[in-house]
Amino acid sequence: ETEIPTDHPRYQDLLTRHRIEAGVEKGITHLQGMHAEGRGSAFDYLLGEETIPSADEAERAAAAQLLLADHPVVSVNGNVAALVPGEVVDLASTVDAAIEINLFNRTPERMERIAAHLRDHGAEDVLGLDADARIPNLDHERSKVDADGIYEADVVVVPLEDGDRAEALSEMGKTEIVIDLNPLSRSPQVAAIPIVDNIVRAMPNVTEHGRALADADGATLREIVDSFDREAALAAAEDRIRSGDLAGE
Amino acid sequence: ETEIPTDHPRYQDLLTRHRIEAGVEKGITHLQGMHAEGRGSAFDYLLGEETIPSADEAERAAAAQLLLADHPVVSVNGNVAALVPGEVVDLASTVDAAIEINLFNRTPERMERIAAHLRDHGAEDVLGLDADARIPNLDHERSKVDADGIYEADVVVVPLEDGDRAEALSEMGKTEIVIDLNPLSRSPQVAAIPIVDNIVRAMPNVTEHGRALADADGATLREIVDSFDREAALAAAEDRIRSGDLAGE
């Protein structure tokens, strides 16, 4: 990472690409994660590679929602682990959330490697390895969750996930906070709080809002969540992709 | 590939992703090719995953330009070899062009594997292995070309290539036909004929136009090339990305 000059016009894009590549090489990220990251990078390019105002509002609402939650969980897959391991740990400790690994291509080796990677970045408890409960209406392997984790959660942060899983969690009645760069894909469409932003900017910004709101009372937090307009946020993101200035290339 | 049902709404996207993944596994495609393919797939999604009319015009102009050329060459990298090996061979034989391998991450093993892969798909001569000439103003490894191939070519098909290489070829005075899904990236911007289309649709369509124009006289071919408006084609592609209907997901 240190070889990429921080003033390079494509710094963030090169950095995320490098982290995913390193994740694939370490065996924590599936090869398909490289494809997903490439796909996301195109949407980020069209967004201007910045956190647009509606995304910042979504990130603040997400922080408030997490602080209000009884049992919040941050779901982690191979791309999330490769891109923002320390940021996930930071968010979880700020809003007192659990961290649970959930993989599309689940193997015991990848589960263990990701758990070790998260612990290297400061995680204490990492859920997902027990897999003693199931998400209804999802393929067998992909439905595996922990009974005291995602299965019991009231609020789940679901970054970079496929639509089937986001939909199945939504059908379980979870309040979902989705991070996804394509505002039109199913995951943000089914989310209570869709965050259309690059995860490398979004995750630390939710944490920052969480710190700023740490002492807010329940009524204040509730008001932030209730005043967030998901339809307007999705429309603003699509509008930016359609008409915004482009990032340099 | 036979496992993906052809009536699946994401058939083409799944197929290209599968081919690139297979290319990485076979050692002909670099891991970064998976990222590039993902990036392209997002632009294709915004284009509606179809050949828009301006792209079809560009593909026809490309066929005419190739038929007019004295020494046309189709440049092949790891993604091109993984995605459209048979289609490259078909185009080359239709317009009597040479095929030359040119890699961003050049290693003798990958060069040999790609040459074998192209031969498996019917290629007779595959250039690029001699590397006895250099493209000026490009890094040493990436500048390697064959003296009787790209170095001597008047018209070069440059699919899925980075901007530096496209620019260096343009500075050498080559007439470039670029295939790229982002109309704003540098490669199509420097091309005489920018084709903003998915290579899996573009390559066979150039060939089809080449067959249809096989008996056309020089004046007819020249008229097709001269009447092609590259600025209008780039603007039409950008407009489609900005305002078009979206492919299903």
Side-chain angles (χ1 to χ4, degrees):
Chain A
E1 298 198 2
T2 51
E3 285 171 32
I4 308 167
T6 54
D7 61 350
H8 190 290
R10 310 289 306 158
Y11 176 73
Q12 200 168 52
D13 182 45
L14 293 172
L15 183 67
T16 52
R17 197 183 304 192
H18 173 82
R19 284 189 187 172
I20 291 285
E21 188 173 1
V24 173
E25 283 160 4
K26 274 187 220 165
I28 63 177
T29 304
H30 191 270
L31 187 52
Q32 293 289 355
M34 199 77 184
H35 187 277
E37 168 58 27
R39 195 167 165 94
S41 82
F43 286 104
D44 201 21
Y45 166 80
L46 292 167
L47 275 173
E49 294 182 350
E50 62 180 18
T51 300
I52 64 174
S54 57
D56 184 56
E57 278 171 48
E59 285 152 13
R60 186 161 181 259
Q65 183 72 76
L66 286 164
L67 289 167
L68 284 167
D70 289 322
H71 186 20
V73 176
V74 183
S75 180
V76 173
N77 63 20
N79 277 32
V80 175
L83 288 173
V84 287
E87 291 84 347
V88 162
V89 173
D90 211 14
L91 173 62
S93 74
T94 301
V95 300
D96 201 15
I99 297 171
E100 178 162 340
I101 306 169
N102 191 283
L103 305 181
F104 190 97
N105 297 290
R106 184 186 178 105
T107 66
E109 295 72 29
R110 280 186 68 220
M111 294 294 291
E112 285 299 341
R113 279 194 191 123
I114 292 173
H117 184 66
L118 291 168
R119 287 189 201 106
D120 284 348
H121 284 83
E124 288 169 15
D125 289 319
V126 178
L127 305 179
L129 302 162
D130 293 343
D132 49 359
R134 298 287 177 272
I135 303 172
N137 304 315
L138 208 56
D139 311 342
H140 181 72
E141 278 304 305
R142 292 165 57 202
S143 73
K144 291 182 174 175
V145 288
D146 277 16
D148 61 349
I150 287 173
Y151 192 81
E152 278 298 316
D154 54 347
V155 177
V156 190
V157 182
V158 183
L160 317 183
E161 267 299 340
D162 78 301
D164 286 344
R165 182 146 178 274
E167 223 161 59
L169 287 170
S170 171
E171 280 164 19
M172 283 180 85
K174 310 294 183 195
T175 297
E176 278 188 274
I177 297 165
V178 159
I179 304 173
D180 193 303
L181 278 157
N182 177 2
L184 298 150
S185 74
R186 263 190 304 148
S187 304
Q189 293 286 336
V190 300
I193 303 180
I195 296 174
V196 182
D197 197 6
N198 192 320
I199 191 171
V200 304
R201 297 187 300 266
M203 195 66 81
N205 198 34
V206 175
T207 305
E208 204 172 300
H209 282 298
R211 287 206 183 96
L213 294 170
D215 299 324
D217 58 27
T220 304
L221 296 173
R222 177 53 53 204
E223 167 59 20
I224 291 169
V225 171
D226 289 348
S227 66
F228 173 71
D229 183 343
R230 63 182 297 287
E231 300 301 328
L234 289 169
E238 183 178 355
D239 184 59
R240 178 62 171 259
I241 284 171
R242 298 296 203 175
S243 62
D245 288 332
L246 298 173
E249 183 160 48
Chain B
E1 298 196 1
T2 51
E3 286 171 32
I4 308 167
T6 54
D7 61 350
H8 190 290
R10 311 288 304 158
Y11 175 73
Q12 199 169 54
D13 182 45
L14 293 173
L15 183 67
T16 53
R17 197 184 302 192
H18 173 82
R19 286 190 185 171
I20 291 285
E21 187 173 2
V24 173
E25 283 161 4
K26 275 188 220 164
I28 65 177
T29 304
H30 192 271
L31 186 52
Q32 292 290 354
M34 197 78 183
H35 186 277
E37 168 59 27
R39 194 168 165 93
S41 81
F43 286 104
D44 201 21
Y45 165 80
L46 293 167
L47 274 173
E49 293 181 351
E50 62 180 17
T51 299
I52 64 175
S54 57
D56 184 56
E57 279 171 47
E59 286 153 13
R60 185 161 181 259
Q65 183 72 78
L66 286 163
L67 289 167
L68 283 168
D70 289 323
H71 186 20
V73 177
V74 183
S75 180
V76 172
N77 64 21
N79 277 31
V80 175
L83 289 173
V84 287
E87 292 84 347
V88 162
V89 173
D90 211 15
L91 173 62
S93 75
T94 301
V95 301
D96 201 17
I99 296 171
E100 178 163 342
I101 306 169
N102 190 284
L103 304 181
F104 190 97
N105 297 290
R106 184 187 179 103
T107 65
E109 293 73 28
R110 279 185 69 221
M111 293 294 290
E112 285 298 342
R113 281 194 191 123
I114 291 173
H117 184 67
L118 292 169
R119 286 190 202 106
D120 283 349
H121 283 82
E124 287 169 15
D125 290 318
V126 177
L127 305 179
L129 301 162
D130 293 344
D132 49 358
R134 298 287 177 272
I135 303 172
N137 305 315
L138 207 57
D139 312 341
H140 181 72
E141 278 305 304
R142 292 166 55 204
S143 73
K144 290 182 174 175
V145 287
D146 277 15
D148 62 349
I150 287 172
Y151 192 80
E152 278 297 315
D154 53 347
V155 177
V156 190
V157 181
V158 183
L160 316 183
E161 267 299 338
D162 79 300
D164 286 344
R165 181 146 179 275
E167 222 161 59
L169 286 170
S170 171
E171 280 164 19
M172 282 179 86
K174 310 294 184 198
T175 297
E176 279 188 273
I177 297 164
V178 159
I179 303 173
D180 193 304
L181 277 158
N182 177 2
L184 298 149
S185 72
R186 262 189 306 147
S187 304
Q189 293 285 337
V190 301
I193 302 180
I195 295 174
V196 182
D197 197 6
N198 192 319
I199 191 171
V200 304
R201 297 187 301 266
M203 194 67 81
N205 198 33
V206 175
T207 304
E208 204 172 299
H209 282 299
R211 286 206 184 96
L213 294 170
D215 298 325
D217 58 25
T220 304
L221 296 173
R222 178 53 54 203
E223 167 59 21
I224 292 168
V225 171
D226 290 347
S227 65
F228 172 71
D229 183 343
R230 61 182 298 287
E231 300 300 329
L234 288 168
E238 183 177 356
D239 184 58
R240 179 62 172 259
I241 284 172
R242 298 298 203 174
S243 63
D245 289 332
L246 296 173
E249 183 162 48

